[in-house]
Amino acid sequence: MLEQVRDDDGEKKWKRVEVNLKDHLIYPNFPQGMSLEFYDEYLGDYLTKIGMDQLPQTRPLWEIHIVKYPTSSATGNVIFKLHHALGDGYSLIGALLSCMQRADNPSLPLTFPSCQSSSKPRHDSVSIFRRVPRVLSGMINTVLDFGWTLLKSSIVEDDRTPIRSGDDGVQFRPVNITTMTFSLDQFKQIKANLGVVILFL
């Protein structure tokens, strides 16, 4: 694995390092024999704590926290804490999906539903007349989005909301982690509506 270090001149560079799993797997100790509601609250406090703690700079910037205490929504929890330098959401989800297989036939590649809504053949002239407005609309939307992004990043300030206070130093304040639980039946309903394949790790 690669780790970012500073050389003698103070310049940052990547260095290949050996990973000691014991340094990255963390098994927190909670009080024994408590109620599910207690563990719900305790897990929330634990998530808040690790959310505020910085990752150690002496080893690769990731941790896996394995919580072996039952809550009202699970018999245990696995928490991945990764530094953004390891990848953005798109690349990390891509890495996760690369670890998955199709449940119906693991030898086939993972597939997702097509965006095409119709397989009917179209006449070329009709198809061109339908595509031109879409292309123009896409170009106009791209220009508008790009311009709005430039304005938001340099001139226009985001509105203050319950999520964005706009105060200086807000990144150093304590955070509170909120979780949302989805049942397997809800995932099955989403899968059925989208027509996707079943995944498993």
Side-chain angles (χ1 to χ4, degrees), residues 40-165:
D40 285 341
E41 187 174 344
Y42 209 90
L43 179 63
D45 293 341
Y46 182 74
L47 290 172
T48 299
K49 177 188 174 302
I50 66 173
M52 291 299 295
D53 291 343
Q54 285 194 348
L55 288 164
Q57 302 294 307
T58 56
R59 59 181 187 242
L61 302 174
W62 60 274
E63 294 174 345
I64 299 176
H65 298 253
I66 301 174
V67 180
K68 295 183 174 182
Y69 299 93
T71 62
S72 58
S73 58
T75 56
N77 291 275
V78 178
I79 304 153
F80 293 85
K81 182 176 179 180
L82 310 167
H83 194 282
H84 191 68
L86 298 177
D88 58 9
Y90 186 83
S91 62
L92 293 173
I93 291 298
L96 175 64
L97 292 176
S98 70
C99 300
M100 295 182 172
Q101 298 174 330
R102 287 180 58 148
D104 58 344
N105 189 347
S107 63
L108 294 176
L110 190 64
T111 57
F112 291 94
S114 171
C115 292
Q116 297 176 355
S117 59
S118 174
S119 59
K120 294 179 180 178
R122 298 179 178 177
H123 298 294
D124 289 342
S125 60
V126 175
S127 178
I128 290 173
F129 287 120
R130 288 183 179 174
R131 289 183 185 173
V132 168
R134 288 184 192 169
V135 170
L136 289 175
S137 174
M139 291 170 58
I140 291 170
N141 286 336
T142 300
V143 170
L144 289 175
D145 288 343
F146 182 71
W148 181 242
T149 301
L150 285 178
L151 284 174
K152 292 287 278 184
S153 63
S154 56
I155 300 172
V156 180
E157 185 175 309
D158 288 331
D159 295 333
R160 289 178 180 246
T161 67
I163 296 174
R164 182 187 180 277
S165 68

Side-chain angles (χ1 to χ4, degrees), residues 179-196:
T179 60
M180 184 176 290
T181 303
F182 295 94
S183 69
L184 285 177
D185 290 334
Q186 290 172 309
F187 280 111
K188 289 177 183 176
Q189 184 62 46
I190 293 169
K191 180 190 80 69
N193 291 345
L194 295 177
V196 298

Side-chain angles (χ1 to χ4, degrees), residues 170-185:
V170 70
Q171 66 270 26
F172 302 113
R173 294 182 183 173
V175 297
N176 189 15
I177 306 294
T178 301
T179 60
M180 184 176 290
T181 303
F182 295 94
S183 69
L184 285 177
D185 290 334

